[in-house]
Amino acid sequence: MAEAILSKLGGIEFQVTSAGLEPGSQVNLLVLEVMNEMGMDLSHKKPQNAFILFKESRLFYPCHHSMQCGNRCKMPCLPRHQ
């Protein structure tokens, strides 16, 4: 959802990629419904794996310290904003 919203609002100013540590096989149907209500069709999207994108140098800041992994993944993280 964040990827789609930032892509729409930021236009060409941002290169946005979203991924998860344990992505599902498809985008959550509730997410598709909500985003469709906001005028964004995500039916063509497929969940991506953060580790694969990071290894391909396509993901530079894959998480925030507030993520539930607690940085157990050891991937570079952005600092949490207070």
Side-chain angles (χ1 to χ4, degrees):
M1 293 173 79
E3 176 184 353
I5 292 169
L6 184 55
S7 292
K8 183 174 181 176
L9 295 177
I12 63 171
E13 297 295 318
F14 296 94
Q15 180 179 352
V16 184
T17 302
S18 179
L21 297 177
E22 297 177 2
S25 60
Q26 64 183 30
V27 176
N28 183 298
L29 295 178
L30 183 56
V31 169
L32 293 176
E33 182 180 335
V34 169
M35 296 305 287
N36 198 27
E37 289 175 5
M38 295 175 65
M40 294 179 234
D41 178 17
L42 301 184
S43 62
H44 63 285
K45 289 291 193 177
K46 180 182 166 195
Q48 300 184 87
N49 186 298
F51 292 110
I52 292 171
L53 294 181
F54 187 70
K55 288 177 187 177
E56 295 173 350
S57 298
R58 294 175 45 212
L59 193 61
F60 300 101
Y61 292 103
C63 65
H64 291 269
H65 284 297
S66 60
M67 295 294 284
Q68 293 199 7
C69 74
N71 201 28
R72 289 187 309 274
C73 62
K74 304 299 182 206
M75 296 176 100
C77 292
L78 295 171
R80 184 188 314 188
H81 295 286
Q82 298 293 332

